[in-house]
Amino acid sequence: MPRPSKGARLYKRKARYTDGKLVHHAVWIIKDGHRHIATGCVASTSEKKPPVKAEQALADYIARKYQPERRRQDIEDIDCADVLSIYLTDIGEPGDQFEIEARIERLNDFWGSKKLSEVNAQTCSVYVKQRGNRGGARRDLETFRAAINHHAKEGFHRGVVRISLPPKGEARDRWLTRNEAAALIWHCWRHREKQTIHSGTSKGDPVTTSRRPLRHIARLF
Protein backbone atom coordinates (compact mmCIF):
# COMPACT_ATOMS: atom_id res chain seq x y z
CA MET A 1 0.00 0.00 0.00
CA PRO A 2 1.54 3.38 -1.01
CA ARG A 3 2.34 5.91 1.67
CA PRO A 4 0.00 8.90 1.85
CA SER A 5 1.45 12.10 0.41
CA LYS A 6 2.74 14.64 2.93
CA GLY A 7 1.89 17.48 0.58
CA ALA A 8 4.18 20.27 -0.54
CA ARG A 9 6.82 21.10 2.08
CA LEU A 10 10.30 22.59 2.47
CA TYR A 11 13.28 20.23 2.65
CA LYS A 12 16.97 20.96 3.19
CA ARG A 13 18.92 18.97 0.63
CA LYS A 14 22.43 18.20 1.85
CA ALA A 15 25.55 19.39 0.10
CA ARG A 16 26.96 17.01 -2.51
CA TYR A 17 30.61 16.05 -2.82
CA THR A 18 32.54 14.20 -5.52
CA ASP A 19 35.98 12.86 -4.68
CA GLY A 20 35.96 15.03 -1.57
CA LYS A 21 35.17 18.21 -3.53
CA LEU A 22 32.02 20.25 -3.07
CA VAL A 23 29.96 20.13 -6.26
CA HIS A 24 26.58 21.34 -4.94
CA HIS A 25 25.86 23.52 -1.91
CA ALA A 26 23.16 22.56 0.57
CA VAL A 27 19.91 24.19 -0.54
CA TRP A 28 16.30 24.52 0.50
CA ILE A 29 13.91 22.92 -1.97
CA ILE A 30 10.18 22.26 -2.16
CA LYS A 31 9.28 18.57 -2.14
CA ASP A 32 5.87 17.71 -3.55
CA GLY A 33 5.57 13.99 -4.02
CA HIS A 34 8.31 13.04 -6.48
CA ARG A 35 8.81 16.63 -7.59
CA HIS A 36 11.70 18.79 -6.36
CA ILE A 37 11.30 22.55 -6.93
CA ALA A 38 14.16 24.98 -6.33
CA THR A 39 13.63 27.95 -4.00
CA GLY A 40 16.92 29.69 -4.77
CA CYS A 41 17.94 29.59 -1.09
CA VAL A 42 21.33 28.20 -0.10
CA ALA A 43 21.36 26.51 3.33
CA SER A 44 24.13 26.60 5.91
CA THR A 45 25.17 23.40 7.70
CA SER A 46 23.85 24.67 11.06
CA GLU A 47 20.57 26.00 9.68
CA LYS A 48 17.57 24.03 10.91
CA LYS A 49 14.70 26.34 10.02
CA PRO A 50 14.09 27.57 6.47
CA PRO A 51 14.63 31.28 5.76
CA VAL A 52 11.74 33.63 5.07
CA LYS A 53 12.53 33.64 1.34
CA ALA A 54 12.13 29.84 1.17
CA GLU A 55 8.85 29.96 3.11
CA GLN A 56 7.56 32.61 0.70
CA ALA A 57 8.56 30.42 -2.24
CA LEU A 58 6.54 27.55 -0.72
CA ALA A 59 3.53 29.80 -0.15
CA ASP A 60 3.69 31.05 -3.76
CA TYR A 61 3.97 27.49 -5.05
CA ILE A 62 0.94 26.32 -3.07
CA ALA A 63 -1.07 29.36 -4.19
CA ARG A 64 -0.30 28.62 -7.83
CA LYS A 65 -0.98 24.92 -7.46
CA TYR A 66 -4.35 25.31 -5.76
CA GLN A 67 -5.66 28.22 -7.84
CA PRO A 68 -9.40 27.47 -8.26
CA GLU A 69 -10.65 26.53 -11.71
CA ARG A 70 -12.19 29.37 -13.69
CA ARG A 71 -13.91 27.46 -16.44
CA ARG A 72 -17.41 26.15 -17.07
CA GLN A 73 -18.07 22.92 -15.15
CA ASP A 74 -20.97 20.86 -13.82
CA ILE A 75 -21.92 21.51 -10.20
CA GLU A 76 -21.06 17.88 -9.33
CA ASP A 77 -17.41 18.67 -10.14
CA ILE A 78 -17.05 22.05 -8.37
CA ASP A 79 -15.74 22.42 -4.82
CA CYS A 80 -17.64 24.92 -2.67
CA ALA A 81 -14.23 26.06 -1.41
CA ASP A 82 -13.36 27.21 -4.95
CA VAL A 83 -16.62 29.14 -5.26
CA LEU A 84 -15.90 30.95 -1.99
CA SER A 85 -12.25 31.59 -2.94
CA ILE A 86 -13.17 33.13 -6.31
CA TYR A 87 -15.77 35.36 -4.69
CA LEU A 88 -13.34 36.57 -2.01
CA THR A 89 -10.74 37.34 -4.69
CA ASP A 90 -13.15 39.23 -6.94
CA ILE A 91 -15.25 41.34 -4.58
CA GLY A 92 -12.72 44.08 -3.81
CA GLU A 93 -9.60 45.18 -2.01
CA PRO A 94 -8.59 43.26 1.16
CA GLY A 95 -9.10 46.36 3.29
CA ASP A 96 -12.82 46.28 2.47
CA GLN A 97 -13.25 42.59 3.24
CA PHE A 98 -12.79 42.26 7.02
CA GLU A 99 -16.34 41.16 7.81
CA ILE A 100 -16.77 39.13 4.62
CA GLU A 101 -13.54 37.20 5.27
CA ALA A 102 -14.80 36.05 8.67
CA ARG A 103 -18.04 34.80 7.10
CA ILE A 104 -16.26 32.99 4.30
CA GLU A 105 -13.91 31.34 6.79
CA ARG A 106 -16.91 29.96 8.72
CA LEU A 107 -18.60 28.86 5.49
CA ASN A 108 -15.44 27.15 4.29
CA ASP A 109 -15.10 25.19 7.54
CA PHE A 110 -18.47 23.56 6.81
CA TRP A 111 -18.82 23.62 3.01
CA GLY A 112 -15.19 23.50 1.91
CA SER A 113 -15.08 19.73 1.50
CA LYS A 114 -18.46 19.57 -0.25
CA LYS A 115 -19.39 19.87 -3.91
CA LEU A 116 -21.68 22.60 -5.18
CA SER A 117 -24.32 19.98 -5.98
CA GLU A 118 -24.59 19.21 -2.24
CA VAL A 119 -25.97 22.67 -1.48
CA ASN A 120 -29.66 22.21 -0.72
CA ALA A 121 -32.28 22.91 1.94
CA GLN A 122 -31.16 19.96 4.09
CA THR A 123 -27.45 20.88 4.21
CA CYS A 124 -28.32 24.55 4.77
CA SER A 125 -30.48 23.50 7.72
CA VAL A 126 -27.58 21.49 9.15
CA TYR A 127 -25.33 24.56 8.80
CA VAL A 128 -27.82 26.74 10.66
CA LYS A 129 -28.04 24.19 13.47
CA GLN A 130 -24.27 23.84 13.71
CA ARG A 131 -23.75 27.62 13.63
CA GLY A 132 -26.02 27.95 16.67
CA ASN A 133 -27.03 31.51 15.85
CA ARG A 134 -29.91 31.83 13.41
CA GLY A 135 -29.27 35.48 12.60
CA GLY A 136 -25.55 34.91 12.09
CA ALA A 137 -26.22 31.79 10.00
CA ARG A 138 -28.62 33.74 7.79
CA ARG A 139 -25.99 36.43 7.12
CA ASP A 140 -23.38 33.75 6.38
CA LEU A 141 -25.71 31.98 3.94
CA GLU A 142 -26.58 35.27 2.24
CA THR A 143 -22.85 35.68 1.58
CA PHE A 144 -22.69 32.10 0.28
CA ARG A 145 -25.64 32.82 -2.02
CA ALA A 146 -23.85 35.91 -3.34
CA ALA A 147 -20.71 33.81 -3.97
CA ILE A 148 -22.71 31.18 -5.90
CA ASN A 149 -24.53 33.86 -7.92
CA HIS A 150 -21.20 35.48 -8.76
CA HIS A 151 -19.79 32.13 -9.87
CA ALA A 152 -22.82 31.56 -12.12
CA LYS A 153 -22.73 35.11 -13.50
CA GLU A 154 -19.10 34.60 -14.52
CA GLY A 155 -20.22 31.50 -16.42
CA PHE A 156 -18.26 29.03 -14.31
CA HIS A 157 -21.01 26.46 -13.65
CA ARG A 158 -24.03 24.82 -15.18
CA GLY A 159 -27.10 23.94 -13.13
CA VAL A 160 -29.24 25.73 -10.57
CA VAL A 161 -28.09 25.98 -6.93
CA ARG A 162 -30.42 27.46 -4.34
CA ILE A 163 -29.58 28.53 -0.80
CA SER A 164 -32.27 27.96 1.83
CA LEU A 165 -32.25 30.79 4.39
CA PRO A 166 -33.64 30.57 7.93
CA PRO A 167 -36.45 33.07 8.67
CA LYS A 168 -35.50 36.55 9.78
CA GLY A 169 -35.52 37.19 13.52
CA GLU A 170 -37.73 39.81 15.10
CA ALA A 171 -36.39 43.36 15.17
CA ARG A 172 -34.64 44.26 18.42
CA ASP A 173 -35.26 48.02 18.23
CA ARG A 174 -37.74 49.45 20.73
CA TRP A 175 -38.35 52.66 22.67
CA LEU A 176 -37.40 53.03 26.31
CA THR A 177 -40.34 53.27 28.68
CA ARG A 178 -40.76 56.45 30.73
CA ASN A 179 -39.52 54.68 33.88
CA GLU A 180 -36.48 53.20 32.07
CA ALA A 181 -35.50 56.60 30.67
CA ALA A 182 -35.90 58.25 34.09
CA ALA A 183 -33.76 55.58 35.76
CA LEU A 184 -31.05 56.02 33.11
CA ILE A 185 -30.98 59.82 33.50
CA TRP A 186 -30.93 59.59 37.30
CA HIS A 187 -28.04 57.09 37.23
CA CYS A 188 -25.98 59.30 34.88
CA TRP A 189 -26.63 62.38 37.03
CA ARG A 190 -25.67 60.74 40.34
CA HIS A 191 -22.75 58.61 39.12
CA ARG A 192 -19.35 59.48 40.61
CA GLU A 193 -16.01 58.24 39.34
CA LYS A 194 -14.15 55.64 41.39
CA GLN A 195 -10.36 55.39 41.51
CA THR A 196 -7.81 53.17 43.26
CA ILE A 197 -5.42 54.43 45.94
CA HIS A 198 -1.84 53.89 44.70
CA SER A 199 0.18 54.43 47.87
CA GLY A 200 0.07 54.37 51.65
CA THR A 201 -1.58 51.90 53.98
CA SER A 202 -4.77 51.98 51.91
CA LYS A 203 -3.01 51.13 48.66
CA GLY A 204 -5.30 49.18 46.33
CA ASP A 205 -8.53 50.31 48.02
CA PRO A 206 -11.23 51.98 45.89
CA VAL A 207 -12.20 55.56 46.63
CA THR A 208 -15.11 57.60 45.27
CA THR A 209 -14.09 60.98 43.83
CA SER A 210 -16.11 64.15 43.31
CA ARG A 211 -15.91 63.78 39.52
CA ARG A 212 -19.21 63.10 37.72
CA PRO A 213 -18.20 61.91 34.23
CA LEU A 214 -21.72 60.91 33.08
CA ARG A 215 -23.63 64.14 33.71
CA HIS A 216 -23.17 65.26 30.10
CA ILE A 217 -25.26 62.22 29.08
CA ALA A 218 -28.08 63.23 31.42
CA ARG A 219 -28.03 66.74 29.90
CA LEU A 220 -28.68 65.29 26.45
CA PHE A 221 -32.13 64.22 27.61
Side-chain angles (χ1 to χ4, degrees):
M1 182 177 179
R3 294 181 179 179
S5 174
K6 295 181 180 180
R9 65 195 188 282
L10 289 172
Y11 174 78
K12 187 170 80 169
R13 188 166 61 192
K14 296 180 180 180
R16 299 178 185 176
Y17 295 86
T18 300
D19 297 329
K21 295 182 178 181
L22 177 67
V23 291
H24 290 291
H25 288 281
V27 293
W28 288 100
I29 63 170
I30 299 170
K31 289 188 69 174
D32 188 7
H34 297 294
R35 297 187 64 195
H36 289 188
I37 301 96
T39 65
C41 298
V42 176
S44 65
T45 54
S46 60
E47 196 173 41
K48 294 183 179 180
K49 292 184 178 181
V52 173
K53 185 178 177 181
E55 291 179 342
Q56 185 60 53
L58 175 62
D60 293 342
Y61 171 79
I62 292 174
R64 290 193 302 270
K65 179 179 178 181
Y66 295 105
Q67 188 71 20
E69 290 281 354
R70 287 178 178 261
R71 61 184 177 84
R72 194 174 181 90
Q73 301 178 81
D74 290 319
I75 57 177
E76 290 82 4
D77 301 322
I78 300 171
D79 293 328
C80 290
D82 285 351
V83 176
L84 293 167
S85 176
I86 288 172
Y87 183 63
L88 184 60
T89 300
D90 292 355
I91 59 174
E93 293 298 321
D96 302 327
Q97 297 180 1
F98 177 76
E99 187 174 345
I100 207 87
E101 284 180 348
R103 292 181 189 173
I104 287 180
E105 185 176 350
R106 287 191 296 269
L107 289 164
N108 195 60
D109 287 342
F110 180 85
W111 300 97
S113 60
K114 294 178 172 58
K115 298 295 184 182
L116 199 53
S117 58
E118 297 179 70
V119 179
N120 52 43
Q122 182 179 1
T123 49
C124 287
S125 178
V126 173
Y127 179 79
V128 173
K129 185 176 181 180
Q130 179 176 301
R131 178 79 161 81
N133 181 320
R134 191 173 67 180
R138 181 183 174 90
R139 289 188 291 273
D140 289 353
L141 290 173
E142 285 173 340
T143 297
F144 194 18
R145 180 177 61 184
I148 293 171
N149 290 343
H150 174 75
H151 197 265
K153 184 179 179 181
E154 293 295 311
F156 296 150
H157 74 253
R158 291 183 288 267
V160 177
V161 182
R162 290 190 175 92
I163 291 288
S164 177
L165 299 176
K168 287 185 177 180
E170 295 182 2
R172 297 183 180 181
D173 295 337
R174 69 174 182 85
W175 298 100
L176 291 175
T177 66
R178 184 181 181 86
N179 289 339
E180 288 172 336
L184 177 61
I185 295 171
W186 188 238
H187 172 78
C188 291
W189 186 259
R190 296 184 61 186
H191 178 78
R192 293 167 62 182
E193 184 180 88
K194 291 184 178 180
Q195 296 182 359
T196 302
I197 298 174
H198 297 288
S199 61
T201 56
S202 300
K203 183 178 180 180
D205 292 344
V207 61
T208 302
T209 70
S210 60
R211 296 186 62 189
R212 299 183 183 272
L214 300 183
R215 281 198 169 178
H216 67 285
I217 299 176
R219 293 190 181 97
L220 291 176
F221 289 90

